[in-house]
Amino acid sequence: MNFKEGEILYLNKPLHWTSFALVNKVRYHISRKLGVKKIKVGHAGTLDPLATGVVIICTGKATKRIEEFQYHTKEYIATLKLGATTPSFDLEKDIDKIYPTEHITRDLVEETLQKFVGTIQQIPPAFSACKVEGKRAYEIARKGEEVTLKPKTLVIDEIELLNYHLPEIKIRVVCSKGTYIRALARDIGEALHSGAHLTSLTRTRIGNVYLKDCISAEDFENWLEQQNIDIIND
């Protein structure tokens, strides 16, 4: 392997880690292995700290391919709790409102999910990395200030109901770049004339890269020790 010329790594991001922290860990261990102070490392698609799953990490000259990977189709497994919302649309913030769920049936959920398949407009969450006048939206939202974001066009290829056990449902989503599953949870809740927020999220695929293909963050150092690595002196 030649990390300076460029390698593409598939990692499983742990819960509570930021994507940036995962990149830092990979960079640290590769730099240490190569005996260099710094090496270029980047990821192709952010995952929220409360999400786990596939992250593609590029090193060296392969970082030029990051944008290419970002446009690959992604697949997620998400658990939604119906009948309650949070300001962040996930568990980062506490529940702020309760809604009725007595009218919700499995058939209604199945029918509602299919309304989101295809090209849709989605307003990103206020607690997101979208920029508003040069600032990250989450920086403004965490100060308790109002955040106004414009709808974005995206594509949902598939939504499948995997488990129905009120107040929770589990779904599989195949979608395009730029899809916020937290925002999808919000919109599904509204479409059900109730509320919803995300309680767990795993990215199971990016393009042809599946979770089973990924190295766990905890095993990365040991994995690295077992590789045949080219040591190139500048």
Side-chain angles (χ1 to χ4, degrees), residues 61-86:
K61 294 178 183 177
T63 53
K64 293 176 183 177
R65 296 187 63 191
I66 283 176
E67 188 174 1
E68 169 196 335
F69 290 123
Q70 285 177 335
Y71 280 93
H72 287 186
T73 298
K74 298 173 179 67
E75 179 186 72
Y76 297 88
I77 302 295
T79 302
L80 283 62
K81 185 172 183 179
L82 305 180
T85 58
T86 74

Side-chain angles (χ1 to χ4, degrees), residues 1-179:
M1 303 189 86
N2 191 317
F3 290 109
K4 290 184 179 179
E5 282 301 306
E7 295 291 344
I8 298 160
L9 308 173
Y10 311 137
L11 275 92
N12 181 359
K13 188 190 82 63
L15 187 65
H16 301 305
W17 285 41
T18 63
S19 300
F20 185 67
L22 185 62
V23 167
N24 273 347
K25 180 183 176 75
V26 170
R27 184 189 293 114
Y28 169 78
H29 287 299
I30 292 175
S31 298
R32 192 175 176 187
K33 183 73 175 176
L34 293 178
V36 298
K37 288 186 177 180
K38 196 172 183 181
I39 186 167
K40 190 180 284 188
V41 181
H43 67 79
T46 303
L47 263 183
D48 289 337
L50 293 178
T52 62
V54 182
V55 174
I56 296 178
I57 290 181
C58 301
T59 78
K61 294 178 183 177
T63 53
K64 293 176 183 177
R65 296 187 63 191
I66 283 176
E67 188 174 1
E68 169 196 335
F69 290 123
Q70 285 177 335
Y71 280 93
H72 287 186
T73 298
K74 298 173 179 67
E75 179 186 72
Y76 297 88
I77 302 295
T79 302
L80 283 62
K81 185 172 183 179
L82 305 180
T85 58
T86 74
S88 58
F89 313 146
D90 63 6
L91 295 176
E92 180 184 340
K93 296 291 181 181
D94 293 333
I95 289 170
D96 58 356
K97 290 181 183 177
I98 303 293
Y99 297 84
T101 57
E102 294 81 4
H103 64 286
I104 297 174
T105 63
R106 187 186 186 102
D107 286 346
L108 179 61
V109 171
E110 294 265 22
E111 180 186 326
T112 301
L113 291 179
Q114 294 314 304
K115 293 177 181 177
F116 290 92
V117 176
T119 302
I120 65 169
Q121 295 287 309
Q122 184 186 78
I123 299 173
F127 289 83
S128 69
C130 293
K131 287 196 173 181
V132 180
E133 297 179 354
K135 292 183 179 179
R136 297 290 185 186
Y138 64 77
E139 293 174 352
I140 302 169
R142 283 174 183 155
K143 291 178 182 177
E145 298 175 18
E146 191 76 21
V147 179
T148 303
L149 294 169
K150 294 179 180 178
K152 292 188 175 182
T153 302
L154 50 91
V155 178
I156 306 289
D157 295 307
E158 298 176 50
I159 299 185
E160 178 187 4
L161 180 63
L162 299 177
N163 192 21
Y164 173 84
H165 192 266
L166 283 184
E168 286 193 338
I169 61 170
K170 182 181 283 189
I171 61 174
R172 182 179 68 89
V173 182
V174 180
C175 56
S176 67
K177 175 184 184 291
T179 305

Side-chain angles (χ1 to χ4, degrees), residues 165-230:
H165 192 266
L166 283 184
E168 286 193 338
I169 61 170
K170 182 181 283 189
I171 61 174
R172 182 179 68 89
V173 182
V174 180
C175 56
S176 67
K177 175 184 184 291
T179 305
Y180 282 93
I181 305 300
R182 286 183 290 133
L184 183 62
R186 169 202 64 198
D187 295 343
I188 289 170
E190 289 178 0
L192 288 168
H193 301 292
S194 183
H197 63 280
L198 210 55
T199 57
S200 73
L201 179 66
T202 300
R203 184 156 66 197
T204 50
R205 178 169 68 87
I206 299 177
N208 294 320
V209 179
Y210 289 82
L211 199 53
K212 64 180 175 60
D213 304 318
C214 296
I215 309 159
S216 75
E218 294 82 359
D219 293 340
F220 181 73
E221 185 178 3
N222 290 334
W223 174 86
L224 192 62
E225 288 300 320
Q226 296 167 19
Q227 304 309 304
N228 183 13
I229 298 170
D230 293 338

